[in-house]
Amino acid sequence: MTDKKTGMRKGLTKYGDEGFSLYLRKAFIKGMGYTDDALDRPIVGITNTFSEYNACHGTVPQLIAAVKRGVMLAGGLPVEFPTITIHESFAFPTSMYMRNLMSIDTEEMIRAQPMDSVVLIGGCDKTVPALLMGAASAALPAILEVTGPMLPGSHRGERLGACTDCRRFWGKYRADEIDLEEIAQITDQLVPSAGTCGVMGTASTMAIIAEALGMMLPGGACIPAVLADRYRHAEQTGARAVHMAKDGSPAPDKVMTADAFHNALTVLQAIGGSTNGIVHLAALAGRLGLTLDLNEFDKIGRNTQVLVDLKPSGENYMDDMHKAGGTGPLFRELGDMLHLTALTVNGKSLGENIDDLPPPFDQEIIRSKQNPVAKSGGMAVLKGNLAPDCAVIKHVAASPELLNHTGKAVVFKNMEDLVNRIDDPDLEVDKDSVLVMQNAGPKGAPGMPESGYLPIPKKLAAAGVKDMVRISDARMSGTAFGTIILHVAPESAVGGPLALVKDGDLIKLDVENRTLDVLISDQELAKRRANWTPPTPHAGSERGYSKLYQDTVTQAPEGCDFDFLQARK
Ligand code: FES
């Protein structure tokens, strides 16, 4: 028994006698029938994010089998281990509240158990960032395999899928345009197969920008979950993980460099991606000692067109993007807007991977720069006396006529207040009002839920109003659309100016000039701040994970990570 710190010899349990530790470890694992030959191979850990609560991860068992096949074909030993999983609709109070817990679990399980590289399998919105954050902190060679998008469904001859269409049809139901029977039929079609949401929501966004970051083998982001191509990609991922295990490289910080983050931000703008992508990228950068520059992100947006025609910015689904060639044609079209020398997990640069692409063919989903879906990037970063640190708007999915708008605030103190009053027939609101929701940020909600898509008051929806300016310190699903300002920082619950807005204040949004202001004097703001009192602490926040969360979660521009998980700079 040598003291080679790889494979089974790695990270020995401390009994005060390393020989005994290895002897005992081997004895236990041999209880599962392994031979010495198997145990002497490079070990590839494979995360297991399966859960019967999570349809987005419904194919994880088959994906693990494919990854294992690839690992064994390449001469390694695959070892599957669990980490927690999070589904958007099955996490209380919100999935974002759990993301950091998943990242801690992933990091510590990678670190605690013997493995030479790790395959990260995830897909649903928070799982990909959590896995990448954990792997970045664990600093072991890591490669991502996403579960892949679901297929589109069909309702009365119309294609549909989670979750842009979920919101569109729910809006019709609220406006009495469709009845209870039809909305029930639609529920059967919105998620017609296992896999992640099939539009350019957060899961698709994170898959594509993870590939742009270099953490996935080329072509993996868009393959639908249930296609054979997905399992072939997983097999190749397993095989590649063995080479990474043998080489001991590349470590995550050699792939996810400042150049790689520039690429991810450029791609995020060019796909009209989810606003959540900014929060997750900020958290991930923080794990690697980098700072995500939101001014740079905004600048990239002014010089980058939206090139991908997917809902909610466009008309199509991830299945269509896969058929159009996936990320390859997009990366090729972006060309030198990307840092092409950035290393990727297959050991080649992004530019070399683009050179290896098959020849282009005619398709309508991934556009040329001469024929973009939108002339500038998908998102803008706003600042002003209402958002001194920043706020974000996905203007490509907003109403053009509202991008420069001044209106009277209608203020809701929190999500409960919103639910109680938004449909009140006596609510003083009209189509030009600006809906404001306070206390829905990282600490305030808690967990910065996707509640920023404030519903149109029922009486206005019934009158045909489809969009209004809406502002909060919450997030929004990447699948949603509307003139919605999110991530206002600092948040209300820590005394940000959003907490000081009152009914009737005039709010001015000017997206062209990137400003968001409440039109009251500094003196009046100071007077209101002096009288402001913080909200009552959440029940249960005096102990456990809730206390850890409240004490250490950062604001949106830092990614809502826990401050002690960020790398020391
Ligand atoms: Fe899992 Fe949309 S709910 S990806």
Side-chain angles (χ1 to χ4, degrees), residues 56 87-88 124-125 196-197 203:
C56 308
H87 184 278
E88 289 302 293
C124 195
D125 295 17
T196 49
C197 289

Side-chain angles (χ1 to χ4, degrees), residues 54-57 86-89 123-125 150 162-163 195-198 202-204 479:
N54 196 337
C56 308
H57 291 198
I86 310 164
H87 184 278
E88 289 302 293
S89 298
C124 195
D125 295 17
M150 64 183 70
C163 229
T196 49
C197 289
T202 304
S204 306
T479 62

